[in-house]
Amino acid sequence: MGRLNRLLGVGFAAALAASTVFTAAGALAEDGAVKIGVLTDISGQFSHEAGEGSVTAIKMAVEDFGGKVLDKPIEVLVADHQNKPEVAVAKAKEWYESEKVTMIGNLINSGIALAVAQVAKDENGIAIVNGSGSSKLTGEGCTPNSIHYAYDTYALANGTANELIRQGKKNWYFLTADYAFGHALEGDASAIVKEAGGAVSGAVRYPIETSDHSAFMLQAQASPADVVAIAGSGTTFINAVKSAGEFGLGASGKTVAGLLVWVTDVHALGLQAAQGMILTNAFYWDRDDETRAFAAKFEEKMGRKPHMGDAGDYSSTMHYLQAVEAAGTTEAQAVMAKMRELPINDFFAKNGKIREDGRMVHDMYVYRVKAPADSKSEWDVYDYVATIPGDEAFRPLSESACPLVKD
């Protein structure tokens, strides 16, 4: 599975080297097209949470919308930010200024998402974040031009921490990937654990490039914690979970909690390694008939089930295009106003709404990874535990650090 993803990623990167422009019709759009940019990780460590999946989802939304808006063709541009903020910022400026891109989507990697959100503000474009999770995007990093759509660190920590504390697991230890997202996830989860009457007995931060987690696992194993919470994503998270299994953290009585778990992570790990893990998610392909229908269409194109980033990329692109049509223009502030005004009702969210801080509020879901014996098919990996209503899932506006929020 991992090797296949890497091969697909390399092939996809090669295709991008030949051409970074895609349209609904597969040809270069004429002048005057409405241009959407997909700025993502094509072949790096976050590519299986974004990359070709995000491009496929956004292109699906464009195709399902009809390939045109305001009587203009819709053109999709794609670039690999290589997980380098300077590359992302330069590309975003080029797209907004020279290519007249009106919206940039996906933006995996929280440091990059925060930087590009500011570029969107400066250039009066729109940035819609689905790949990244830092709650700073709707806190001190909020802008009038950016939307945080699928999930964030507060909602993930809120669901998982509260469920485990409800089970009586109140002493926590954090294994945190040393980058913006990992820090935000640890910070949000720590605050929620303490507020719920729990305690944090320690934390260790490890470089995202590390492949040897042994020293970190020994520290976690020696802690008095009930829960070892892994705050990271991508291959960093997968490697950490594998190490936790090798060091017998679960067998020793500790609960391993994934604070950001993608369904592709569970598939790559296998149920034997991931079983019993509690996680919070915005989307699961097998939730209802609508999610299954979207998943079937996506799988036809990608050869795998969609995760919450894919679903969010599709839903937010469709919502953006509906807002452009309703506003009668691609001017950023007019479109942002319509996006806040129009409710989101699709397979991803029911009665979703975009607040003044840019947070798209919707229900979140707590799941438990199935044991191998309970799974009926390759992607049948979660048992439903609970629904967290949107107004409870995300940080309340009364606690927001966003300067756009009025008292």
Side-chain angles (χ1 to χ4, degrees):
M1 175 68 182
R3 183 171 180 271
L4 176 59
N5 280 340
R6 287 194 296 273
L7 289 172
L8 287 171
V10 169
F12 196 64
L16 287 176
S19 173
T20 59
V21 180
F22 298 83
T23 69
L28 186 67
E30 63 193 64
D31 289 343
V34 173
K35 296 182 181 181
I36 294 171
V38 189
L39 194 50
T40 188
D41 178 0
I42 297 299
S43 56
Q45 65 172 308
F46 303 122
S47 57
H48 71 292
E49 293 100 352
E52 58 181 326
S54 63
V55 176
T56 296
I58 287 173
K59 290 179 69 178
M60 281 175 62
V62 169
E63 291 164 4
D64 289 349
F65 193 79
K68 297 180 73 174
V69 65
L70 305 181
D71 292 324
K72 297 178 181 179
I74 304 164
E75 187 175 315
V76 179
L77 284 68
V78 181
D80 185 351
H81 58 50
Q82 304 168 46
N83 291 303
K84 297 176 181 177
E86 65 276 15
V87 171
V89 166
K91 179 55 68 174
K93 285 182 177 178
E94 175 193 328
W95 276 354
Y96 287 134
E97 292 176 359
S98 303
E99 297 288 346
K100 306 306 178 189
V101 166
T102 55
M103 186 273 276
I104 296 177
N106 188 254
L107 296 168
I108 191 99
N109 185 317
S110 290
I112 281 166
L114 287 160
V116 172
Q118 292 301 315
V119 176
K121 176 184 175 183
D122 294 342
E123 301 293 340
N124 198 33
I126 290 174
I128 303 181
V129 180
N130 276 292
S132 305
S134 175
S135 58
K136 289 183 179 179
L137 284 157
T138 52
E140 55 267 43
C142 76
T143 82
N145 294 67
S146 54
I147 295 167
H148 202 182
Y149 202 86
Y151 71 99
D152 66 24
T153 52
Y154 182 94
L156 297 177
N158 189 17
T160 302
N162 278 309
E163 175 60 26
L164 287 171
I165 287 173
R166 187 189 66 77
Q167 295 178 18
K169 296 169 182 177
K170 295 186 176 181
N171 195 323
W172 286 54
Y173 188 93
F174 288 90
L175 289 172
T176 302
D178 193 10
Y179 69 120
F181 170 77
H183 300 171
L185 196 47
E186 178 193 325
D188 283 335
S190 295
I192 289 164
V193 166
K194 292 172 184 176
E195 185 179 344
V200 176
S201 60
V204 62
R205 291 179 175 177
Y206 59 89
I208 60 175
E209 301 85 5
T210 192
S211 58
D212 181 4
H213 295 81
S214 56
F216 311 120
M217 291 299 164
L218 288 171
Q219 292 179 58
Q221 197 168 45
S223 78
D226 307 309
V227 177
V228 176
I230 300 175
S233 184
T235 53
T236 302
F237 170 78
I238 291 172
N239 290 338
V241 173
K242 286 179 179 176
S243 293
E246 290 165 3
F247 276 81
L249 290 189
S252 71
K254 298 183 188 299
T255 295
V256 177
L259 293 180
L260 172 57
V261 183
W262 306 83
V263 73
T264 45
D265 294 338
V266 174
H267 187 263
L269 283 163
L271 294 182
Q272 190 64 43
Q275 62 183 312
M277 186 182 297
I278 295 289
L279 60 103
T280 301
N281 221 280
F283 170 86
Y284 179 43
W285 71 270
D286 201 22
R287 191 175 73 221
D288 57 37
D289 288 343
E290 286 183 284
T291 60
R292 285 187 283 272
F294 171 73
K297 289 179 64 176
F298 183 88
E299 189 174 18
E300 283 179 11
K301 296 177 181 293
M302 278 295 297
R304 64 163 174 83
K305 297 296 186 187
H307 52 53
M308 65 178 169
D310 304 318
D313 278 324
Y314 179 101
S315 174
S316 59
T317 301
M318 187 66 76
H319 188 61
Y320 168 76
L321 292 171
Q322 290 166 347
V324 168
E325 187 171 66
T329 178
T330 57
E331 194 280 320
Q333 294 312 311
V335 175
M336 287 291 295
K338 281 294 179 185
M339 291 186 79
R340 294 187 197 100
E341 175 188 326
L342 297 172
I344 297 150
N345 282 297
D346 59 13
F347 70 90
F348 180 79
K350 298 303 178 193
N351 297 313
K353 57 186 177 184
I354 297 171
R355 303 188 311 201
E356 57 262 48
D357 62 349
R359 177 67 258 164
M360 201 282 267
V361 175
H362 53 84
D363 292 350
M364 296 287 287
Y365 305 90
V366 181
Y367 295 102
R368 180 185 298 103
V369 178
K370 289 186 172 185
D374 296 330
S375 175
K376 296 180 176 131
S377 61
E378 180 183 5
W379 290 92
D380 176 28
V381 296
Y382 293 160
D383 279 325
Y384 168 82
V385 175
T387 299
I388 311 168
D391 289 337
E392 297 175 17
F394 295 95
R395 191 188 308 277
L397 279 176
S398 60
E399 298 176 9
S400 177
C402 174
L404 301 173
V405 177
K406 298 177 177 61
D407 294 332

